[in-house]
Amino acid sequence: MCVMSETRWLNETEQRAWSGFLETYELLDRHVDQQLRQEGGLTKVQYEVLHHLNESPAGHLCMSELAERMLCSRNGLTYQATQLEKAGLLRREANPADERGVLAVITDEGRRVLHQAAPGHVSTVREGLIDLLTDEQVAQLATIMDITRRHLRGLVQLPPARKRAAGTTH
Amino acid sequence: MCVMSETRWLNETEQRAWSGFLETYELLDRHVDQQLRQEGGLTKVQYEVLHHLNESPAGHLCMSELAERMLCSRNGLTYQATQLEKAGLLRREANPADERGVLAVITDEGRRVLHQAAPGHVSTVREGLIDLLTDEQVAQLATIMDITRRHLRGLVQLPPARKRAAGTTH
DNA sequence: TACTAGTGGTTCCAATTGGAATCAAGTGGG
DNA sequence: CCCACTTGATTCCAATTGGAACCACTAGTA
C-alpha cells in the first residue's frame, strides 16, 4: 500500500464528463421527481417500484428480488412498500414457495396510477435528456451506460442483501 | 390539458440510455461514497464541499453560492457545514461585504484532508467510469453531459434559493 | 430429529435531506 | 427616518435512507 504510482488526474474532457454526469443526474433526478409528485402523486422511487412490478410477468416479485432491482436496501424497500400499501397501490402476499418470503403485488389501482403517470413521466425524460440529443448521441449514451452498469454491477457492494460474488472471505 | 398527443414511448435504445444512466449513477455514487468514507473519512457530499471551496481562488464562498454550486438546499448545506466545522475542516467567517452573509472557509486541515483523499477518489472515478471507456467515448459523454447540464440548469427548480428566472408570477 | 448456518423481512436507530417558518440585515420608495 | 419587501442563513419538523439487530423459516448435516 506504499508503492503508489503517480496519480493520473483527470484531463479537461474527463473532468467535464464526470462533473457533467453528476450534475446532470442531480438535476434530472429532481426534475423527474417533481414532475411525478405534481402530476402523478408519486415519488420517483414509488414510480420505480410500481414499474418493476408491472414489468414482471406475474405482476409480483419477492421483496429481496425487488430491492435488488431497485438497487436499494431491503429495509428501504420495506419502507416504500408500506407507503404504497397504505395508498392501495401494492399488496403483500405470502410466498407459497417459501414461508419466509413476501410477495409484493401491484394492485389494479396501482396499475391504473402507473399507467396514468407514465406518459407525463416519459415526456419529462425526453424533455430532460433524450430529446436533447441526436439519435446518434442517444446510441452513444446507451452504449456507454451499458458498459458502466455491467462493470459496476460486479464491482459495487450493494447495501445489505448482496449476492456473494467471487470469493467469500471465510 | 385534454388535447394530449400520442405518447412517444422510449424505443429500445432510448430505454437503455435512460435506465443505464440511472443505474450507473446509483452504483457509481455508492461506490465513490464508500471509497471516500473508508479511505478518506469523508462522505461524498463533504468531499464535494471541500472541493468547491478549494477550487475557489480565495478558498471561501458564501453559503448561498456554495449551496448553489452543490445543487443542494441551503439548509442542507448548513447541516454539512456544521459537520465539517465540528471536524475542523471548515470555518465560518462573517462576510465583510454583507452582515447577513457567512463565508465558508476551508481550513488548512481541510486542505490537507482533501489532498490526501483526492488521489484515491480520482482512482475510483477512473475505475468506475473513465477508464472503462475509450477516449472517444469519454469525449462523447462529455459532450452529451454538457448539453444536458446546460439545458437542465434553466429547466429545473432548485430547492429553496432559486435564481428568479424569467417571469416572477406576481 | 437436533444443530448450525444462511436467507427473507422487518424493526430500531442514527444520519441526511427538503420545505416552511423564522430571524437578521440590506434595499427602494415615501 | 420608516415601511414593505427581498435576501442570507438557520432552525424545526417530517420524510427517507442505510446499518445493525432481530425473528422466522429453510437447508445442510450428523
Side-chain angles (χ1 to χ4, degrees):
Chain A
M1 53 149 59
C2 292
V3 181
M4 43 177 67
S5 51
E6 205 62 27
T7 298
R8 292 165 49 229
W9 301 105
L10 301 185
N11 66 33
E12 190 269 346
T13 304
E14 293 164 340
Q15 181 66 241
R16 278 195 300 132
W18 172 235
S19 67
F21 178 72
L22 292 181
E23 186 168 331
T24 295
Y25 180 86
E26 287 297 327
L27 292 168
L28 197 44
D29 178 57
R30 238 181 270 283
H31 188 46
V32 166
D33 192 60
Q34 283 173 5
Q35 185 276 329
L36 277 172
R37 280 176 196 268
Q38 287 170 11
E39 295 177 34
L42 292 170
T43 64
K44 173 163 167 279
V45 176
Q46 292 172 338
Y47 183 92
E48 284 170 0
V49 171
L50 296 180
H51 176 68
H52 281 295
L53 291 177
N54 193 53
E55 287 294 278
S56 172
H60 61 70
L61 288 170
C62 70
M63 299 289 283
S64 289
E65 175 61 23
L66 183 51
E68 201 157 306
R69 297 195 190 187
M70 298 274 306
L71 301 179
C72 79
S73 62
R74 286 176 305 170
N75 57 41
L77 179 58
T78 293
Y79 175 79
Q80 290 298 339
T82 304
Q83 300 306 109
L84 286 167
E85 200 167 31
K86 281 180 194 164
L89 310 182
L90 175 151
R91 188 163 26 92
R92 281 176 167 101
E93 285 183 9
N95 183 343
D98 186 338
E99 281 301 317
R100 296 167 301 181
V102 172
L103 295 181
V105 189
I106 187 170
T107 63
D108 292 344
E109 175 69 0
R111 285 194 203 269
R112 200 187 63 68
V113 169
L114 181 65
H115 291 149
Q116 181 218 304
H121 174 64
V122 171
S123 293
T124 306
V125 173
R126 286 198 169 282
E127 178 190 338
L129 178 67
I130 303 294
D131 286 354
L132 300 176
L133 308 174
T134 64
D135 287 352
E136 192 186 3
Q137 286 175 320
V138 172
Q140 291 168 354
L141 184 60
T143 299
I144 291 169
M145 293 298 143
D146 276 345
I147 293 169
T148 53
R149 89 204 296 187
R150 183 165 336 130
H151 184 83
L152 290 163
R153 272 283 189 183
L155 182 65
V156 183
Q157 158 139 340
L158 288 178
R162 62 282 170 193
K163 298 262 147 149
R164 50 258 157 276
T168 46
T169 321
H170 54 201
Chain B
M1 54 144 62
C2 291
V3 181
M4 47 177 66
S5 53
E6 206 61 27
T7 297
R8 292 165 51 229
W9 301 104
L10 302 185
N11 67 30
E12 189 268 345
T13 304
E14 292 165 341
Q15 180 66 240
R16 276 195 300 133
W18 172 235
S19 67
F21 178 72
L22 293 180
E23 187 168 330
T24 294
Y25 180 86
E26 287 297 328
L27 291 168
L28 198 44
D29 179 56
R30 237 182 270 287
H31 189 47
V32 166
D33 192 59
Q34 283 173 7
Q35 186 275 330
L36 278 172
R37 281 176 195 268
Q38 287 170 13
E39 295 178 33
L42 293 171
T43 64
K44 174 164 165 280
V45 176
Q46 291 172 339
Y47 182 92
E48 284 169 1
V49 171
L50 296 181
H51 176 69
H52 281 295
L53 291 177
N54 194 53
E55 288 295 278
S56 171
H60 60 72
L61 289 169
C62 72
M63 297 291 282
S64 289
E65 175 61 20
L66 183 50
E68 201 158 306
R69 295 196 190 188
M70 297 275 304
L71 302 177
C72 79
S73 61
R74 285 176 306 171
N75 56 42
L77 180 59
T78 294
Y79 174 79
Q80 290 298 340
T82 304
Q83 301 307 108
L84 286 167
E85 200 167 32
K86 282 180 194 165
L89 310 182
L90 176 150
R91 189 164 23 93
R92 282 176 167 101
E93 283 183 9
N95 184 343
D98 184 339
E99 281 300 318
R100 298 166 301 179
V102 171
L103 295 181
V105 190
I106 187 170
T107 63
D108 292 343
E109 174 69 0
R111 287 193 201 270
R112 200 187 62 69
V113 168
L114 181 65
H115 290 150
Q116 181 216 307
H121 175 63
V122 171
S123 294
T124 305
V125 173
R126 287 198 168 279
E127 176 190 339
L129 179 67
I130 303 296
D131 286 353
L132 301 176
L133 308 175
T134 65
D135 287 352
E136 191 185 4
Q137 286 175 321
V138 172
Q140 291 168 354
L141 185 60
T143 300
I144 291 169
M145 292 298 142
D146 276 346
I147 293 169
T148 52
R149 87 202 300 185
R150 183 166 337 131
H151 183 84
L152 289 163
R153 273 282 189 183
L155 181 65
V156 182
Q157 157 140 343
L158 288 179
R162 62 279 169 192
K163 299 262 143 150
R164 49 259 158 273
T168 46
T169 322
H170 54 202

